[in-house]
Each structure stands twice: as C-alpha cells, then as structure tokens.
C-alpha cells in the first residue's frame, strides 16, 4: 500500500458540469476526510466518514456537494453544476481510529479548475 | 470549532537559523498535531503532542503544548532550505486546520 490515492490529479471542467473525485484510503484505515483548499489558505474541512457512515456533513459547502463511502473503503466527492468558485484543490485524508489518537495521512489532492 | 490559528502568517529566515511558529485555539484543545505542506502537495504529518505532554522532540523539531493558554508552538532548529513549506496545526480529534504559517528558508 503506497498511501492515500486520489484520482484524478487534475480536472478541468466547464461551468455547470458535474465532477466526481475518488479517494482510496490506506487499506486498514476506518476514517476518511475530505477537504477543500484554496491558494494561501489552510485545508477547509468538508466532511468525514467512519467506515461507511458519514458522521459530519454540515460543513459541505452547499447542496451541490455530496460524498459517499458505500463500502467503507474508497470514497467519492461529487460537485454538481460546478461554479468558478469551486476551483480549488480537493484533499482526502485517512486515519485509523482505534481508541488512540489517529494520525491522518493525506493524498496528493485533486486540483479542480472550472472554466 | 476546534480550528487552530497559526502565527505568524509568514516567516522568512536564513538557513541555519531557528524558526518558531505558534498555534492558538479559542476552545480547549487536547491532542494536537502539526503538519507540513509543500507547495501544491498534500499534507505530511510531522508530530503529535498529547494533552498530558508539555514538550516533545523529533529530530530538529520541538513542539510545546500549553493547554491552559490553549496554545502550541513548533520550533525548527538549524533550518534548511528544504524546510520551506507551509506549517499547520490541527486538533487531533476533529482535524480542522487554520491558515498556516508559510516558512521560507533562504539559502
């Protein structure tokens, strides 16, 4: 296992199109996080899963954003009707939470450009 | 929310000097993690300090935690040009981040 994998690394889309990003966490990790990051800012928390359960989704930026983790393994983040303001880096992280303090590992991110 | 704020926002030093970054919270913090991010890349975990620890060392890194002041500091000693990056703190439970400190180490 080489770590958290995100696909694609780059995505250019036209305004109004839907996009979907995929995150493959480290295989034994039970927690998965999604973040958005714009230039010069820290990662902005969007949502996270514990296994297949989405435990926090109130931070999703709008109802155009949705995430799934159907089998508790990989996850997808979908943005519907993209807007230019959605252009950003989308980061995924995973961790193993077993009583102790989890160390999160991040993927390299998907850079979205909406034109 | 458990979002840390790093200070300063930007720091520029000469190679060999020490760099100190601070992190503060409005609410109480427990275990705290520091991360590093090179430009355009994902975040890399540097060090975790638990709520019952006051100081922790890892190589050239020294982290302190003051739960009463709701603050933490990261010290990088004998800095190198390769340390140039953004540094973030995060509550270990909720994993929310501030805007980070952009460190530039000049050769």
């Amino acid at each position: 296992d080489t770590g958290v994998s995100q696909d694609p690394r780059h995505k250019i889309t036209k305004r109004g199109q839907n996009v979907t990003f995929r995150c493959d966490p480290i295989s034994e990790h039970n927690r998965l996080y999604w973040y958005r990051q714009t230039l010069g800012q820290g990662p902005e928390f969007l949502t996270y899963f514990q296994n297949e359960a989405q435990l926090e989704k109130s931070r999703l930026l709008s109802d155009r954003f949705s995430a799934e983790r159907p089998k508790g393994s990989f996850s997808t983040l979908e943005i519907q009707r993209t807007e230019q303001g959605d252009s950003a880096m989308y980061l995924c992280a995973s961790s193993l939470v077993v009583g102790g303090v989890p160390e999160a590992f991040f993927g390299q991110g998907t850079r979205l450009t909406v034109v | 929310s458990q979002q840390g704020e790093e200070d300063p926002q930007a720091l520029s030093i000469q190679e060999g000097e020490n760099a100190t970054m601070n992190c503060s919270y409005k609410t109480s913090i427990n275990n705290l993690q520091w991360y590093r991010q090179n430009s355009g890349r994902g975040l890399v975990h540097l060090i975790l300090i638990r709520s019952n620890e006051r100081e922790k060392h890892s190589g050239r890194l020294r982290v302190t935690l003051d739960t009463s002041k709701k603050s933490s500091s990261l010290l990088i000693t004998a800095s190198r040009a390769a340390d140039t990056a953004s540094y973030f703190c995060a509550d270990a439970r909720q994993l929310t981040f501030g805007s980070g400190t952009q460190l530039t180490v000049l050769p």
Side-chain angles (χ1 to χ4, degrees), chain B residues 27-77:
Chain B
T27 57
S28 61
I29 54 175
N30 295 306
N31 306 303
L32 187 135
Q33 307 192 57
W34 282 89
Y35 285 81
R36 162 197 169 122
Q37 184 179 35
N38 288 81
S39 180
R41 309 294 295 274
L43 280 76
V44 175
H45 181 264
L46 291 177
I47 193 167
L48 161 72
I49 186 163
R50 298 177 186 272
S51 56
N52 60 354
E53 297 175 314
R54 290 297 168 259
E55 187 171 312
K56 193 166 183 179
H57 296 254
S58 176
R60 294 184 297 112
L61 304 181
R62 172 179 166 250
V63 172
T64 64
L65 179 64
D66 188 331
T67 53
S68 65
K69 294 183 179 179
K70 302 175 186 175
S71 66
S72 174
S73 68
L74 171 67
L75 168 68
I76 304 174
T77 60

Side-chain angles (χ1 to χ4, degrees), chain A residues 35 37 42 101-102 104 107-108, chain B residues 31 33 37 41 50 88 95 98:
Chain A
Y35 295 85
Q37 187 176 27
V101 180
Q108 295 299 308
Chain B
N31 306 303
Q33 307 192 57
Q37 184 179 35
R41 309 294 295 274
R50 298 177 186 272
F88 299 92
L95 213 57

